[in-house]
Amino acid sequence: MEMINTVFLTTLEPMKRLLNVQSIVTVYYFEFSKNYLFAGEQHDFWEMVYVDKGELEVSAGKEGYELKEGDIIFHKPNEFHNLWANGVSAPNVLVVSFVCSSEGMRFFENKIMRLQQVKESFWQKFYKKQKGCLNRN
């Protein structure tokens, strides 16, 4: 049997919670046409847009951005945003909207990040898995 040093356990400090997502509002995986256009919206929760395949153009407030495969952008609450395909590439996009009032979310404001290469269709599998969870009676 393994012996655990309880002195070590009493010296541990609680971990600080940097992000606390209160709720997931939506999770969508879209396979847009190369001419897709979404006129835009604004809402009182966060929205994450990840380009799984192809290229996508987005606006966030008054700024426009070109996103490529692997890019991710977060739209902050009450920020008007829209997106459209560039007419050349038909993008696949994961969109997750969520409620999070943590100060740590400020890190993601006004940034585009590129995720490391992940296994192709990872996000498609994620979407199918969560969809199955949400549709159970």
Side-chain angles (χ1 to χ4, degrees):
M1 178 176 280
E2 183 179 1
M3 191 65 89
I4 298 175
N5 182 346
T6 57
V7 174
F8 169 74
L9 292 177
T10 60
T11 61
L12 291 178
E13 294 183 28
M15 292 180 63
K16 183 177 179 183
R17 182 174 286 178
L18 298 177
L19 298 175
N20 183 25
V21 174
Q22 285 88 20
S23 65
I24 303 292
V25 179
T26 61
V27 178
Y28 294 112
Y29 188 89
F30 296 106
E31 296 176 348
F32 293 133
S33 71
K34 67 179 184 177
N35 297 312
Y36 179 79
L37 168 65
F38 174 63
E41 65 184 355
Q42 103 182 43
H43 38 69
D44 63 353
F45 43 83
W46 286 90
E47 183 173 292
M48 180 204 77
V49 177
Y50 170 76
V51 181
D52 189 37
K53 177 183 168 192
E55 298 176 359
L56 184 72
E57 297 190 30
V58 302
S59 73
K62 296 182 180 181
E63 299 295 322
Y65 305 98
E66 295 179 9
L67 302 180
K68 298 188 182 308
E69 187 171 314
D71 286 350
I72 187 169
I73 188 170
F74 288 83
H75 297 293
K76 57 190 167 197
N78 301 310
E79 173 180 74
F80 180 81
H81 54 279
N82 64 340
L83 54 84
W84 60 97
N86 62 11
V88 177
S89 171
N92 292 0
V93 179
L94 173 70
V95 179
V96 179
S97 58
F98 57 96
V99 176
C100 182
S101 56
S102 302
E103 286 295 315
M105 285 303 297
R106 288 182 183 233
F107 172 82
F108 299 100
E109 291 182 5
N110 307 314
K111 290 183 183 163
I112 295 174
M113 295 169 277
R114 170 133 325 138
L115 295 181
Q116 295 291 331
Q117 283 286 350
V118 294
K119 184 179 175 187
E120 188 172 338
S121 79
F122 170 81
W123 294 112
Q124 294 168 339
K125 290 177 185 177
F126 168 80
Y127 175 71
K128 288 176 186 174
K129 186 81 162 172
Q130 71 76 31
K131 186 176 178 183
C133 293
L134 294 176
N135 289 337
R136 292 187 183 168
N137 293 327

